[in-house]
Structures are given as structure tokens and as C-alpha cells.
Amino acid sequence: MDYFADHIPLLRPWIDEDELNAVAPVLRSGWITQGPKVHEFEKEVGALVGAPHAVAVNSATSALHLAFQVAGLKPGDKVIVPAHTCMATVNGFMLAGGIPVFADIDRRTFNLDIAAVEEVMDGSVQAIALVHQIGLPADLDAFWHFARKHQLILVEDAATAFGARYRDRYLGGHGNPTAYSFHPRKMITTGEGGMVILWDEEQAERARRLRAAGASISDFVRHQAKGVLQQTYPEPGYNYRLTDLQAVIGSAQLRKLPKMLEARAYQADYYTGQLRVVDEVQPPYVPAECSHCFTSYCITIPKGSPEIISRILDDMAADGISCRRGIQPLYREPYFQESHQGMYLPNTEAAAAQTLFLPIFPGLTRLQQDRVVKTLIQAVRKHVPRAMSA
Ligand SMILES: *Cc1c(COP(=O)(O)O)cnc(C)c1O
């Protein structure tokens, strides 16, 4: 009996025989850590997004760390970043010595707002962590020009946005170092995993060394050479390796990507259509130059508050539907409380107080979506104060 038969989860990775069948030969081969399958997976992703170098690692956090380090971020350098993101974005560049400078987001896209970034810009800023939040590309053109003008390192955090497109190119294909996550919460998954896209040969070589203890030659190449090659260590590194076991799962997931994108676009469209009749709910906004990959489907309740969102979440949970409150401002995390006391970014605060995520994942049925919509509308009508006009 399926205990969760009647439960609608927020998300569920799409794993089937494809992944199971991919893993068995790797286990039998005897080479299970980083090896030829990781190399193949990197080639596939690079070809898909149209980028010259793709370096697979064990998480997007690691990918961000490597991206900032090889791009030349130095300890003490300031990095502009939205506060409307998870700690991992900030962890990524703080590991490379960066210090966050939080800037506000655009009210409609929930991504960094160029005007807000100009406000916090000063001579000590060396980089931007441009987050493409919950599957929607940020305003890349504006930030590319801004970064060029001020000679800043521009790193794209596309952890949640693998498969999203900006001006008809996949994120990662726009010339900047870019990080993806393959955590089950994201678009495609390898259990844990990530990848960094790089455009400079030397930076890519360095990232490959850094992910594997700093060694000049990978385990697999050394093994193939039967011990004739001796690796050296030009600098200390990390253990950020992805395994061949994970890479074949990634390749199998990649073959499903078109279907995943299609399923999510279809589901998002359906929610948006069904929710159009409810004035209290705003569906996600997608600028014309972007395609959203809908890793999450985020609604806004303009009259919402943390308490109202709590009540809606409770009603959804009572009907067996898992939803989630929107992203909370990072500057309120205990780590930043002292250094950022009193900080208040209005659009970041509004997003935190008024948004929630609905279930979306390949395999979510029309019937389940109808139930989500019905329960949501009831909860909203019950808990959100009606407009006084009309
Ligand atoms: C999930 C996430 C990350 C971190 O990904 P991991 O693979 O778990 O390290 C970084 N940035 C954003 C925006 C994310 O959503």
C-alpha cells in the first residue's frame, strides 16, 4: 500500500528504468568514481547549452566556489547578490573569500533588479552572483553590460534553472561562468551533483584540477597510463568529484529533459489558466525574452502576509497537499543578523511575505492539479481579505 497515495508532494524526481539500467554497467565495470562517464556527461551538457567547457562537480555550491575562484575573486572582494536566494549561493563565493552585498530584486521576476544593484555599487565590489531564481532567467543583457562597464566578474547561479532559456539560448550558453545543481529539488538530478560552465581553457583546466585535490592529472588518466604518469600539485584543491555512477544517471536524465520541460510548461500553463479567475492570486510573470523552466511554480498573494500564508499552507496540508512558503531574506539568517541588523529590502520582503510554491513535477496529473487549485481557491477566499472597492 502506498502510504502517500492520497498525498500530493511539492516535487518528485522522475527516476525510472532508464536510470536503473544506466547504473548497472558502471557498477560491473569496476570504475565507479570520476571517469569516462563523467567526461561523457560533461560533453553532453556542454553541447546542449553551447558552451566550450563543462566541469562536473558534486554540487552547485562547489560549482559556484570553483567559478568564483578561477574567475579571480580574491579574499575580501565584495560580491553583489540577491538576498532572495538560498544560503548556498552565498556559501559558494564566501568559500572563495567573497563578502556579500545584498541588493533588492525586481518585484515581478524575483530576480536582481539592475536599478537596485546600481544603488549598492561602489569601488569595492568585484563581482556579481546573478541568480536565475526558481527557473526564471534574470535580466542577462542588463547585467552583462553593467559587469563590462565596471569590469566585474559575472557568475550565473543557474542552480534551479537548467533548461531555462534567455533569448532562445539555454542558460549557461551566454559566455559567463555558470553553475547548475543536480539536487533532486532541481531540474534534472544525480542525487547530489552540479556542474560549472566555463569559457576560458585555462580556467577550465584549473577547475578540473581543483575539484580533484589539486592534482595535475586525473585518477582515470593516470590509471589508464598504468602508473607511468606522475601527478603534481600546482596548488591545493578540494574533493568536489562527481562519480561515474552519478554521471550516467545525469545522462539518462538529460535525455528526459525535453519531456520534463514540456510537462512543466504544460502544468504551469494549466495552473495559470485556472487561477486567472482569482483576483487574490497572481501567477508567475515571464518576460518576453525568457522561457521559464518551472523548477518551481510560485504564486503571489498581493494582500498576503506571513500569517495569511501560514493559514493557506495549513489548509493545503490538511488536504494532503505539500506547498512551501516563498524564499526568506538571507540577511535575516543568524549568520548575518549582527552585520546586517535593520536591513530591509522592500521587494525581497514582499516576496518573502506574499509568495508560496505549488506542487509541480513531471507526473503530476491534471486531477491532482485540479485538487490543488480547488483547495487553494477555498483557502484564499477564506483567509485573504477581500478588496474593499467595487
Ligand atoms: C539549490 C541551490 C543552490 C545549491 O545547490 P547544491 O547543488 O545543493 O549545492 C545554489 N543556488 C541556488 C539558487 C539554489 O536554488
Side-chain angles (χ1 to χ4, degrees):
M1 195 186 92
D2 187 353
Y3 179 75
F4 290 112
D6 207 32
H7 173 256
I8 303 177
L10 185 65
L11 63 126
R12 176 180 280 170
W14 179 9
I15 303 285
D16 59 24
E17 294 298 313
D18 297 347
E19 286 76 14
L20 286 167
N21 292 334
V23 168
V26 180
L27 285 170
R28 287 197 195 97
S29 79
W31 193 274
I32 54 177
T33 185
Q34 180 191 297
K37 300 301 179 188
V38 166
H39 187 67
E40 277 173 39
F41 182 40
E42 291 173 337
K43 289 273 171 225
E44 289 165 1
V45 172
L48 177 77
V49 303
H53 308 288
V55 181
V57 288
N58 59 354
S59 73
T61 307
S62 306
L64 287 165
H65 179 190
L66 293 184
F68 280 100
Q69 185 172 346
V70 303
L73 193 78
K74 300 276 178 296
D77 286 351
K78 295 207 172 135
V79 182
I80 293 177
V81 63
H84 183 80
T85 189
C86 62
M87 189 68 185
T89 301
V90 172
N91 289 341
F93 63 75
M94 288 205 304
L95 285 167
I99 298 167
V101 176
F102 294 118
D104 208 357
I105 50 172
D106 180 283
R107 221 186 170 96
R108 292 196 298 174
T109 63
F110 304 121
N111 282 321
L112 266 187
D113 178 16
I114 189 80
V117 166
E118 270 159 5
E119 266 172 44
V120 298
M121 180 65 198
D122 68 31
S124 62
V125 169
Q126 300 294 338
I128 299 180
L130 187 62
V131 180
H132 305 292
Q133 198 51 273
I134 63 167
L136 179 68
D139 191 357
L140 257 173
D141 281 353
F143 283 97
W144 189 83
H145 286 291
F146 184 83
R148 248 175 89 97
K149 183 171 140 200
H150 297 283
Q151 308 215 337
L152 304 178
I153 296 165
L154 179 62
V155 171
E156 297 177 51
D157 180 351
T160 67
F162 183 68
R165 277 169 288 135
Y166 180 81
R167 298 204 188 284
D168 284 329
R169 279 182 85 88
Y170 283 117
L171 292 181
H174 295 271
N176 310 305
T178 302
Y180 305 124
S181 174
F182 305 135
H183 183 272
R185 176 100 200 236
K186 316 299 163 100
M187 197 64 184
I188 65 168
T189 187
T190 58
E192 295 283 354
M195 201 174 279
V196 57
I197 295 291
L198 293 164
W199 295 80
D200 177 278
E201 173 104 44
E202 270 174 42
Q203 287 183 8
E205 272 313 302
R206 190 170 169 216
R208 287 182 206 286
R209 284 201 312 269
L210 288 172
R211 79 171 156 185
S216 60
I217 303 164
S218 77
D219 292 348
F220 189 70
V221 169
R222 188 167 41 80
H223 181 78
Q224 279 184 317
K226 311 228 181 309
V228 190
L229 291 174
Q230 183 60 47
Q231 77 271 34
T232 57
Y233 295 90
E235 63 180 322
Y238 319 104
N239 179 357
Y240 284 173
R241 285 182 292 254
L242 192 77
T243 67
D244 269 19
L245 278 172
Q246 292 167 299
V248 291
I249 295 174
S251 294
Q253 290 267 295
L254 208 54
R255 288 190 282 277
K256 294 188 167 103
L257 182 68
K259 280 190 191 154
M260 290 182 180
L261 290 169
E262 192 188 317
R264 287 174 182 277
Y266 195 67
Q267 291 161 350
D269 241 30
Y270 188 66
Y271 272 144
T272 298
Q274 296 297 301
L275 293 172
R276 198 154 275 147
V277 296
V278 197
D279 293 339
E280 294 89 342
V281 175
Q282 269 175 12
Y285 167 74
V286 185
E289 65 277 15
C290 299
S291 87
H292 201 311
C293 68
F294 288 108
T295 312
S296 295
Y297 185 89
C298 181
I299 57 167
T300 305
I301 303 196
K303 290 202 165 53
S305 65
E307 298 72 34
I308 290 171
I309 299 288
S310 289
R311 281 182 219 129
I312 294 171
L313 289 173
D314 285 347
D315 283 12
M316 301 300 282
D319 194 27
I321 301 166
S322 287
C323 297
R324 196 81 92 242
R325 190 186 294 282
I327 298 165
Q328 300 301 302
L330 258 191
Y331 48 78
R332 272 217 284 282
E333 291 302 326
Y335 180 77
F336 295 113
Q337 246 165 27
E338 240 185 84
S339 53
H340 291 73
Q341 224 167 34
M343 184 159 206
Y344 186 93
L345 300 175
N347 293 345
T348 300
E349 296 284 342
Q354 301 171 349
T355 62
L356 69 125
F357 297 119
L358 303 185
I360 191 165
F361 53 90
L364 179 72
T365 65
R366 179 56 61 89
L367 224 60
Q368 288 175 313
Q369 282 197 276
D370 284 336
R371 197 170 116 210
V372 172
V373 168
K374 183 165 166 245
T375 309
L376 177 71
I377 291 177
Q378 280 172 357
V380 163
R381 297 239 151 105
K382 196 161 111 199
H383 300 302
V384 180
R386 287 302 180 91
M388 294 302 283
S389 61

